[in-house]
Amino acid sequence: MQPIYLLDTNILSEITKPNPNRNVVKKVIENKHISTIASVTFEEMLYGVKRLPASKKQNDLLSFNINFIQANYEIIPFDVHASWVLSDIRQRLESKGKPAPLADSMIASTAIANNLILVTRNVKDFESIREVSSLMIEDWSEE
């Protein structure tokens, strides 16, 4: 089945929390077969784990990245099409005096280039990108 949703880093990290948002967990489970992640998101997840001190928590999160994320989701690379989209977004934002963080811009560009809906808990972080592009966003933490 063709993916519809691109899960942001904060959606995946939410389900690793001791008390995760129930709506996020429910929607991740319900939409697992029509969701994907960006290679930039996967890198952010791995980097977050590697920054932790060696511990059971670090091992558990590394296992989550390998056995849940990598095993269950297609990881979409940041490709040439996404690069064209990103360059357009960055130029438009820069001309408005509203530069956006590179990682967020790359994730948004991957969503746009693949005609996917970006699922994030940080809608505000993507508002400026949405103003200058066709980015579609959903927040699964809300009912």
Side-chain angles (χ1 to χ4, degrees), residues 84-100 112 128-135:
W84 279 99
V85 172
L86 176 61
S87 67
D88 186 54
I89 288 170
R90 290 181 72 196
Q91 181 277 318
R92 288 177 183 198
L93 288 174
E94 187 177 286
S95 72
K96 293 178 96 176
K98 294 182 173 182
I112 294 165
S128 62
I129 296 170
R130 189 157 52 171
E131 289 173 15
V132 299
S133 72
S134 60
L135 180 64

Side-chain angles (χ1 to χ4, degrees), residues 10-142:
N10 60 59
I11 293 295
L12 295 168
S13 63
E14 180 67 27
I15 58 181
T16 67
K17 292 180 177 179
N19 296 307
N21 178 290
R22 290 180 187 167
N23 291 327
V24 170
V25 173
K26 178 180 176 238
K27 292 283 225 168
V28 166
I29 292 167
E30 288 175 353
N31 295 295
K32 187 174 103 181
H33 298 296
I34 55 173
S35 299
T36 187
I37 66 167
S39 58
V40 177
T41 298
F42 192 58
E43 183 279 329
E44 285 185 322
M45 295 292 293
L46 293 173
Y47 176 65
V49 171
K50 290 180 177 190
R51 291 179 56 206
L52 294 172
S55 62
K56 180 180 180 336
K57 180 179 180 179
Q58 185 191 44
N59 288 336
D60 290 347
L61 289 173
L62 184 58
S63 178
F64 172 79
N65 278 278
I66 294 167
N67 298 319
F68 180 74
I69 296 175
Q70 193 171 358
N72 289 296
Y73 292 97
E74 174 187 5
I75 299 174
I76 298 178
F78 186 80
D79 62 10
V80 171
H81 187 191
S83 296
W84 279 99
V85 172
L86 176 61
S87 67
D88 186 54
I89 288 170
R90 290 181 72 196
Q91 181 277 318
R92 288 177 183 198
L93 288 174
E94 187 177 286
S95 72
K96 293 178 96 176
K98 294 182 173 182
L102 184 59
D104 286 348
S105 300
M106 291 175 76
I107 292 167
S109 298
T110 301
I112 294 165
N114 290 279
N115 197 33
L116 298 168
I117 299 166
L118 177 61
V119 179
T120 183
R121 293 197 67 188
N122 296 333
V123 173
K124 188 179 89 175
D125 292 352
F126 292 93
E127 282 302 324
S128 62
I129 296 170
R130 189 157 52 171
E131 289 173 15
V132 299
S133 72
S134 60
L135 180 64
M136 300 175 286
I137 299 176
E138 284 187 18
D139 181 353
W140 287 353
S141 64
E142 302 172 346

